[in-house]
Amino acid sequence: MANQKLELTWVGKDEQPRVEPRILLHDPSKDYGDSDTENMLIHGDNLLALKALEQQYSGQVKCIYIDPPYNTGSAFEQYDDNLEHSTWLSLIYARLLILKNLLSEDGSIWISIDDDEGHYLKVICDEIFGRYNFIEEVVWQRSFSPINLKKTLSRCHDLILVYAKNKTPNFELNKLPRTLEANSRYKNPDNDSRGPWTSGDLSVGPRVEENVYEIITPSGRKVLPPDGYSWRLSKERFNEFVRDNRIWFGDKGNNTPRIKRFLSETRQGIVAMTLWSREEVGDSQEAKKEAKSFNSKSVFATPKQERLIERILSLGSNPGDLVLDSFLGSGTTAAVAHKMGRRYRQIVKSSATLFRKEL
Ligand SMILES: C[S@@+](CC[C@H](N)C(=O)[O-])C[C@H]1O[C@@H](n2cnc3c(N)ncnc32)[C@H](O)[C@@H]1O
């Protein structure tokens, strides 16, 4: 019993392909741009390509983005998206095992998926990366108008599962740049000399008994934290905050206390949330339009747009970091990584090397 663990099983899980490491061959006829960069596009099956990369780049890739076949049952012009369920599971399992080895200790992997395989993928990722390394699930609004042929619900979002290689207490992703709109939420109703501020909750759960104490507002009202919560600050620290005018009791001094957070003291950037709207990062229509601009003959049904990839790479990597996409498709990630100054390894199954823009 002690050794029993929860895992997803399927026919063929234990028969993973044995792949011998290969050597990558440089094809100068496909060179593009600056030949001195370390960037590369690798043509071929990604299992072989990943195995080849594993020898040299284990533990070095800061950010991996993959957009694997979703197994929707469609037969796309570019590839067959209709694998038998267990075949798909074996395909993704074998690749994720190598992708994990490639990730650096402070790295993260971002995986686009939808409801066809997404929930099975989550369980597989929990097994491979460790459930404790799960960061979040991002919901990306890929479309905005309902498909009226649907008789039940019209799905308009994709998921992006995000895992850290090693989610230590110090692990962090980059922040999003501060916007004027975000800054405009900071006000200065009490003319504090430290400048505009916004207020945050003073109560926090779960309850820590030593931080449960009565606070008397300037108007004389007695306040306790809500049931199941305690105050965020010890009594001593709270009194220090009051002396430093960092607690806000409202205009009339009668509100439940809140902590003042000054714009001048916030770290640059704001933490990304998990709901990514089409206004923020674009949608499938935008992606198709972009793809058409460099390849009007054969536009893939669900490419990913630059703004989405840019968001992922800016949260998960810094200039000079190695990033990787092993289900490349139309090449968006390559173009974005290059533009953002990231080094990248891309693995392409198709034979064409496509760049969206002059790089
Ligand atoms: C969902 S699409 C990726 C779309 C891409 N992100 C874009 O924006 O166009 C999945 C891609 O994975 C590729 N693919 C599927 N199986 C593969 C394999 N074994 N090795 C390499 N690429 C593979 C397909 O050819 C397809 O281009």
Side-chain angles (χ1 to χ4, degrees), residues 44-46 67-69 79 95 300 303-304 327-330 332 349:
D45 188 288
N46 55 11
D67 181 17
Y79 66 96
R95 283 143 184 92
F300 176 53
K304 301 297 183 295
F327 288 93
L328 183 60
S330 54
T332 318
K349 196 175 184 185

Side-chain angles (χ1 to χ4, degrees), residues 18-24 48 50-55:
R18 282 179 60 89
V19 184
E20 298 304 325
R22 306 279 179 102
I23 295 171
L24 297 174
L48 302 176
L50 289 171
K51 204 70 201 163
L53 289 176
E54 196 181 24
Q55 298 174 82

Side-chain angles (χ1 to χ4, degrees), residues 169-181:
N170 293 332
F171 179 87
E172 56 182 337
L173 295 172
N174 293 330
K175 306 279 180 290
L176 294 174
R178 298 201 65 83
T179 58
L180 287 175
E181 194 231 327

Side-chain angles (χ1 to χ4, degrees), residues 44-47 65 67-70 78-79 91 95 300 302-305 309 325-333 347-350 356:
D45 188 288
N46 55 11
L47 190 61
Y65 170 65
D67 181 17
Y70 287 9
Q78 292 81 1
Y79 66 96
L91 177 139
R95 283 143 184 92
F300 176 53
T302 59
K304 301 297 183 295
Q305 69 283 8
I309 306 293
D325 177 348
S326 56
F327 288 93
L328 183 60
S330 54
T332 318
T333 323
I347 294 155
V348 210
K349 196 175 184 185
S350 64
R356 166 155 311 144

Side-chain angles (χ1 to χ4, degrees), residues 8 10 89 92-93 120-128:
L8 184 68
W10 62 90
L89 294 172
I92 201 75
Y93 189 73
Y120 296 91
L121 179 64
K122 168 73 169 64
V123 180
I124 291 184
C125 286
D126 281 350
E127 178 186 327
I128 293 179

Side-chain angles (χ1 to χ4, degrees), residues 221-276:
R221 192 165 71 88
K222 292 177 180 161
V223 194
L224 279 170
D227 282 352
Y229 290 76
S230 47
W231 300 124
R232 202 175 280 276
L233 304 171
S234 67
K235 192 166 183 180
E236 200 187 357
R237 194 93 179 104
F238 172 77
N239 288 331
E240 279 172 27
F241 269 51
V242 172
R243 282 195 293 278
D244 197 23
N245 188 22
R246 284 176 181 273
I247 299 293
W248 178 241
F249 291 95
D251 288 335
K252 301 199 168 66
N254 189 40
N255 291 1
T256 300
R258 293 176 66 80
I259 301 179
K260 288 162 75 173
R261 300 198 191 288
F262 294 93
L263 181 58
S264 55
E265 293 174 1
T266 55
R267 282 201 289 161
Q268 276 310 309
I270 38 181
V271 178
M273 293 200 284
T274 52
L275 186 59
W276 295 3

